[in-house]
Amino acid sequence: MPHGDLEAARLVRELSAAFDTEIVEYGSYYAIGKSDPSLFEDILNTARDLGTNVIRVWAHQGKASDSFDEEEYQACVADAKRICAMAGDITVALECH
């Protein structure tokens, strides 16, 4: 589900309800500290219109966390705090694999 396509998100929610299924989470592909910060508002609105209360985000920048310098680490922490504050009652879950 592309973020920002709220009409499609509402349609998917309606179709899911029609088939008695639930959308339990939204895999956003947002990478903490790496993605454009302005994208998260579209992601949040898409999750809301899908009717889910969980958004999955990537917890890394494509490298091991022990290789981050202090600036990279602090940027990730600040971004994680920012998106969690924006999310309010929606859970932000870390996706790592």
Side-chain angles (χ1 to χ4, degrees), residues 3-71:
H3 44 268
D5 189 344
L6 304 182
E7 184 177 327
R10 288 187 288 271
L11 177 60
V12 168
R13 181 181 187 170
E14 290 171 10
L15 290 170
S16 295
F19 287 93
D20 200 28
T21 61
E22 181 182 359
I23 300 169
V24 295
E25 59 185 28
Y26 177 47
S28 72
Y29 292 94
Y30 184 88
I32 293 173
K34 185 175 183 181
S35 292
D36 178 345
S38 67
L39 293 177
F40 198 75
E41 186 171 353
D42 282 344
I43 291 166
L44 187 57
N45 290 333
T46 303
R48 286 188 175 126
D49 281 6
L50 284 169
T52 186
N53 62 355
V54 177
I55 298 171
R56 293 190 334 259
V57 298
W58 288 95
H60 63 81
Q61 298 185 6
K63 63 182 185 176
S65 61
D66 63 357
S67 68
F68 283 20
D69 63 30
E70 186 63 22
E71 185 177 327

